[in-house]
Amino acid sequence: MHNSRLVKYARKNRKNATKSEWYMWEFILRRKQLKGYKFKRQRPVLNYIADFMCQDLLLIIEVDGITHKDPQQQIRDQIRQKNLEAAGFTVLRFSSWDSIYHQEQVKQVLLDWIGEWEDRRK
């Protein structure tokens, strides 16, 4: 379900992670810290590169920096999110600020979402 042309760009993004992406990865998502679910960084999905993705949960996590406040970028983000949701994914967005300075709250939001997802699967 990914565009193979984006693989080299995804690799480049993994090597050049922003501070907020690194914090999200290191302190929240890496090493199956969320109920044992495996997340991957900078994954090609459809015609996009998701910041983080868990295939088992069909969950994409985006860390939005200051550029996402631009009106044109917000329109592109909305289109991207609709396309990803149409493909069956849930997209959760967090600000760069929250990923760095409010990690426990971000982690709790994600744990709550996963708990609700697991409850629906029963």
Side-chain angles (χ1 to χ4, degrees):
M1 185 183 287
H2 77 270
N3 181 335
S4 59
R5 292 176 298 156
L6 295 176
V7 171
K8 72 177 181 178
Y9 298 109
R11 276 192 203 116
K12 182 179 176 187
N13 288 351
R14 279 194 297 276
K15 291 179 182 178
N16 297 304
T18 65
K19 181 179 180 180
S20 54
E21 289 171 343
W22 186 85
Y23 271 65
M24 178 72 79
W25 178 247
E26 190 65 27
F27 300 116
I28 300 173
L29 301 175
R30 188 175 178 204
R31 296 180 304 272
K32 299 183 180 182
Q33 294 179 64
L34 293 178
K35 294 186 150 193
Y37 289 99
K38 182 177 183 175
F39 283 84
K40 295 183 177 184
R41 299 184 304 139
Q42 299 297 325
R43 301 309 294 180
V45 183
L46 303 177
N47 290 317
Y48 310 104
I49 298 175
D51 289 342
F52 304 97
M53 181 186 71
C54 177
Q55 185 66 46
D56 291 338
L57 298 169
L58 290 177
L59 176 62
I60 290 173
I61 297 170
E62 293 291 321
V63 179
D64 292 343
I66 191 89
T67 59
H68 291 269
K69 292 187 180 206
D70 175 74
Q72 292 301 315
Q73 183 59 48
Q74 289 178 347
I75 291 168
R76 288 190 293 271
D77 286 344
Q78 289 172 355
I79 293 167
R80 169 188 170 118
Q81 185 154 338
K82 285 180 185 176
N83 289 335
L84 291 167
E85 288 172 349
F89 289 93
T90 297
V91 179
L92 298 180
R93 295 183 170 279
F94 297 94
S95 71
S96 294
W97 180 264
D98 286 339
S99 74
I100 295 171
Y101 298 105
H102 299 113
Q103 294 161 18
E104 287 305 314
Q105 292 93 326
V106 169
K107 191 171 192 175
Q108 192 58 56
V109 167
L110 292 168
L111 287 170
D112 291 346
W113 186 91
I114 290 169
E116 291 171 12
W117 181 88
E118 290 174 335
D119 288 345
R120 288 191 305 268
R121 306 274 300 173
K122 291 180 183 176

